Amino acid sequence: MEKVIDEKVQGNTLTLEARTANSRKLYIESYGCAMNFSDSEIVASILADQGYNTTNALEDADLVLVNTCSIRDKAEQTVRKRLEKYNAVKRTKNPKMKVGVLGCMAERLKEKFLEEEKIVDLVVGPDAYKDIPNLLKEVEEGRDAVNVILSKEETYGDISPVRLGGNGITAFVSITRGCDNMCTFCVVPFTRGRERSRDPQSILQEIDDLAEKNYKEITLLGQNVDSYLWYGGGLKKDFKNASDMQKATATDFAQLLDMAAKAHPEMRIRFSTSNPQDMHEEVLHVVAKHKNICNHIHLPVQSGSTRILKEMNRQHTREEYMKLIDRIREIIPGCAISQDMIVGFPTETEEDHQATLGLMEYVKYDFGYMYKYSERPGTNAARKLEDDVPEETKSRRLTEIVDLQQKHSAIRTASFLGKTVSVLIEKESKKNKDEWSGRTEHNNVAVFPKKNYKAGDFVNVKITDCTTATLIGEAVELS
Ligand code: SAH
Ligand code: F3S
């Protein structure tokens, strides 16, 4: 199915007719983090200007783009499998199709991709998407094309994303790119480059556009949102000192969040991801102050052992993290907190693992994402430490933290029994077509009978039952 989208692209208002006139077909799929999904919307916007509309059918596509993830080896293997699939479709059904690789794997493997995967015509890193029109010309002339140059400035702030496959209700708005933190296990600083913040005016403009199109919830997105700092663009180190930066009317994350919440009190606002070492208390006060900022903080810790945190180059101890948790609970009572955890980081002992379980008991996270350590080539951990925790130990530790998290998630969902919560309807429930599915501000999924409500409505739902991860209830009218 072809999508015809009427919206602004690169400052030009593209009319519906202009888009209808687009004759070429783009198939784009994304793997990995929310930032990749958001980037694909930027790429679709750039290509809409080049005569491409999106299609959901590989067989029809003139151009197939896959936005890739390098965070763990498994993520890369998934992409390799997709390339095999494209290869099969190209051979049997669609010989004209060209294939491009975007994102973190493109950046990591560069030209090597062309040698390793014959199907690939185009390799584009995360900061080079504006060059895709030029690169496509090369491809059309029969040459392979690669641009993996990382930028100190690019934020795509001037591009209005084409919303792909969304529900028309929730959207991501990216506020920073790259990451300067250099956690020793993480490939992101290598694949996405130095951290840059996007001009607050362009962020607010994008939120205005979304509000106008009746979107009800946005998530401000960055690898490390708390280090958002706008002082006119470029890298922080380009300014000689802090007062120079101040002079340039700096905006930090707390201010940005405050501005967004004030500008659209009817819209729900979320943000992700917070890094404990950069989270300022001011942000917590802003969350507490605005009803429309969701009381949920995704606060990855990775490990509960101070020794491992140090090896990971995370700039805080277990105790400092616990203090931050205490402050969150004081300033935002009832705030949902979620985690990312890694088990089996090099040198992790049973004692370190117990410290992780202990920290989880202390926090009782609402939910979390848990992983086995996967060594990434080029990272400091890969260069300096041997991946020495046996696979079976990693698996056992992962099972233990997943089980504990499930227990905590179940306690948390059960705590909503009998309560009435506001749910933003996103879609029909997968399990029952007579029910809506949406999320609470604490990011719990809730399902309830449809009645006369529609997608995009905020509904008060009385919770009568639950599973570990889902709240089940009934819409109620509040008098
Ligand atoms: N700050 C980022 C983190 C990106 S990576 C954000 O916006 O979420 C997401 C998660 O993947 C990390 O928090 C970490 O738990 C996990 N991860 C990163 N590198 C990993 C590796 N080498 N092995 C296993 N898990 C990893
Ligand atoms: Fe990766 Fe650490 Fe940045 S996990 S994205 S280097 S905050």
Side-chain angles (χ1 to χ4, degrees):
M1 193 189 63
E2 241 175 81
K3 274 208 195 95
V4 180
I5 302 147
D6 174 23
E7 60 176 309
K8 283 182 191 162
V9 176
Q10 286 179 294
N12 306 316
T13 305
L14 270 187
T15 61
L16 196 61
E17 300 85 82
R19 292 300 176 95
T20 313
N22 277 355
S23 59
R24 291 192 278 186
K25 293 199 180 100
L26 164 69
Y27 177 97
I28 184 162
E29 69 183 337
S30 313
Y31 291 90
C33 64
M35 190 64 85
N36 260 4
F37 285 77
S38 167
D39 280 359
S40 291
E41 298 186 332
I42 286 164
V43 172
S45 172
I46 292 168
L47 283 167
D49 245 9
Q50 303 295 313
Y52 284 90
N53 279 337
T54 52
T55 173
N56 292 327
L58 262 179
E59 303 79 57
D60 294 342
D62 298 286
L63 177 62
V64 175
L65 295 177
V66 57
N67 204 341
T68 61
C69 174
S70 284
I71 203 80
R72 284 167 291 275
D73 185 55
K74 219 166 132 194
E76 294 204 351
Q77 295 315 321
T78 308
V79 169
R80 301 266 185 192
K81 287 221 180 70
R82 285 308 287 164
L83 292 172
E84 278 172 29
K85 167 82 180 168
Y86 304 159
N87 209 352
V89 172
K90 181 165 176 146
R91 261 190 289 115
T92 54
K93 296 185 187 139
N94 185 0
K96 71 172 188 306
M97 111 188 176
K98 301 287 181 201
V99 174
V101 185
L102 315 176
C104 289
M105 262 177 103
E107 193 61 48
R108 196 175 84 69
L109 293 165
K110 305 185 168 57
E111 284 82 3
K112 259 205 285 184
F113 235 124
L114 299 170
E115 292 156 31
E116 289 177 12
E117 303 280 356
K118 294 285 169 248
I119 178 86
V120 174
D121 305 289
L122 180 74
V123 179
V124 195
D127 286 345
Y129 297 146
K130 281 187 189 156
D131 196 30
I132 290 179
N134 300 323
L135 296 167
L136 280 176
K137 281 195 198 104
E138 298 275 316
V139 171
E140 273 157 25
E141 284 162 19
R143 288 186 292 274
D144 290 331
V146 179
N147 186 345
V148 288
I149 296 171
L150 288 173
S151 158
K152 289 181 187 173
E153 273 97 33
E154 185 60 84
T155 61
Y156 301 110
D158 53 341
I159 296 188
S160 172
V162 164
R163 302 292 163 183
L164 292 170
N167 50 18
I169 296 161
T170 60
F172 293 118
V173 174
S174 86
I175 65 164
T176 66
R177 296 187 72 80
C179 187
D180 282 353
N181 275 346
M182 296 300 280
C183 302
T184 56
F185 54 81
C186 185
V187 78
V188 171
F190 301 92
T191 57
R192 289 191 162 270
R194 298 296 303 272
E195 184 187 290
R196 289 137 276 168
S197 295
R198 175 178 167 191
D199 181 345
Q201 286 316 316
S202 84
I203 296 170
L204 294 171
Q205 174 70 46
E206 186 173 335
I207 302 172
D208 289 348
D209 284 351
L210 287 165
E212 210 167 288
K213 293 193 184 102
N214 239 347
Y215 278 77
K216 301 289 171 63
E217 179 184 298
I218 55 147
T219 304
L220 301 176
L221 212 57
Q223 300 299 337
N224 184 8
V225 286
D226 296 284
S227 71
Y228 175 87
L229 185 62
W230 172 260
Y231 43 88
L235 295 178
K236 278 182 217 165
K237 73 170 177 51
D238 293 343
F239 285 78
K240 271 188 235 86
N241 54 49
S243 81
D244 274 9
M245 270 165 44
Q246 285 303 326
K247 269 185 226 144
T249 56
T251 305
D252 66 13
F253 182 58
Q255 290 166 313
L256 179 75
L257 196 56
D258 192 49
M259 288 193 286
K262 257 194 212 133
H264 293 284
E266 75 298 344
M267 227 177 184
R268 256 192 194 174
I269 300 185
R270 299 183 185 276
F271 55 91
S272 185
T273 298
S274 300
N275 190 310
Q277 73 203 44
D278 295 303
M279 179 140 219
H280 315 293
E281 231 174 68
E282 197 45 39
V283 172
L284 303 179
H285 290 292
V286 172
V287 175
K289 185 169 99 183
H290 292 282
K291 253 185 97 183
N292 58 327
I293 303 179
C294 291
N295 286 356
H296 166 224
I297 296 176
H298 185 54
L299 199 64
V301 65
Q302 319 297 355
S303 168
S305 152
T306 296
R307 188 185 70 80
I308 293 290
L309 289 171
K310 196 152 191 277
E311 292 287 356
M312 289 174 161
N313 193 31
R314 306 281 291 187
Q315 305 288 321
H316 60 82
T317 61
R318 168 194 176 87
E319 288 69 30
E320 283 162 344
Y321 183 83
M322 287 160 105
K323 265 196 205 126
L324 179 58
I325 296 288
D326 294 346
R327 288 303 283 155
I328 295 172
R329 302 244 191 262
E330 280 162 34
I331 298 169
I332 318 166
C335 188
I337 302 175
S338 53
Q339 43 88 350
D340 289 352
M341 262 339 154
I342 297 176
V343 294
F345 184 82
T347 77
E348 186 188 67
T349 62
E350 210 48 41
E351 200 186 335
D352 296 318
H353 172 59
Q354 289 303 324
T356 296
L357 291 166
L359 181 66
M360 290 175 73
E361 282 290 4
Y362 183 81
V363 183
K364 296 204 170 50
Y365 294 100
D366 292 72
F367 61 95
Y369 303 94
M370 291 151 279
Y371 311 100
K372 286 190 247 185
Y373 172 69
S374 165
E375 185 177 270
R376 307 314 293 133
T379 56
N380 274 339
R383 286 195 285 131
K384 297 199 178 123
L385 299 166
E386 190 194 336
D387 184 5
D388 62 355
V389 178
E391 187 57 30
E392 355 20 305
T393 309
K394 284 184 186 172
S395 296
R396 196 239 320 140
R397 288 180 187 165
L398 182 66
T399 308
E400 286 178 11
I401 65 169
V402 168
D403 287 350
L404 184 59
Q405 184 53 58
Q406 280 222 319
K407 195 176 113 192
H408 292 157
S409 297
I411 295 171
R412 177 65 171 171
T413 37
S415 75
F416 290 102
L417 283 173
K419 293 196 176 136
T420 299
V421 290
S422 174
V423 177
L424 170 61
I425 303 178
E426 291 178 19
K427 57 187 178 211
E428 194 168 88
S429 156
K430 268 192 206 131
K431 289 204 183 125
N432 185 343
K433 67 173 179 37
D434 298 324
E435 291 188 344
W436 286 124
S437 166
R439 276 180 302 152
T440 69
E441 71 160 322
H442 297 109
N443 214 23
N444 286 110
V445 172
V447 294
F448 58 96
K450 278 183 175 173
K451 292 196 184 151
N452 290 328
Y453 298 101
K454 55 185 192 313
D457 285 349
F458 285 100
V459 183
N460 291 309
V461 177
K462 180 155 190 196
I463 304 307
T464 52
D465 198 358
C466 66
T467 66
T468 334
T470 309
L471 302 173
I472 301 162
E474 187 91 38
V476 288
E477 298 290 340
L478 291 186
S479 50

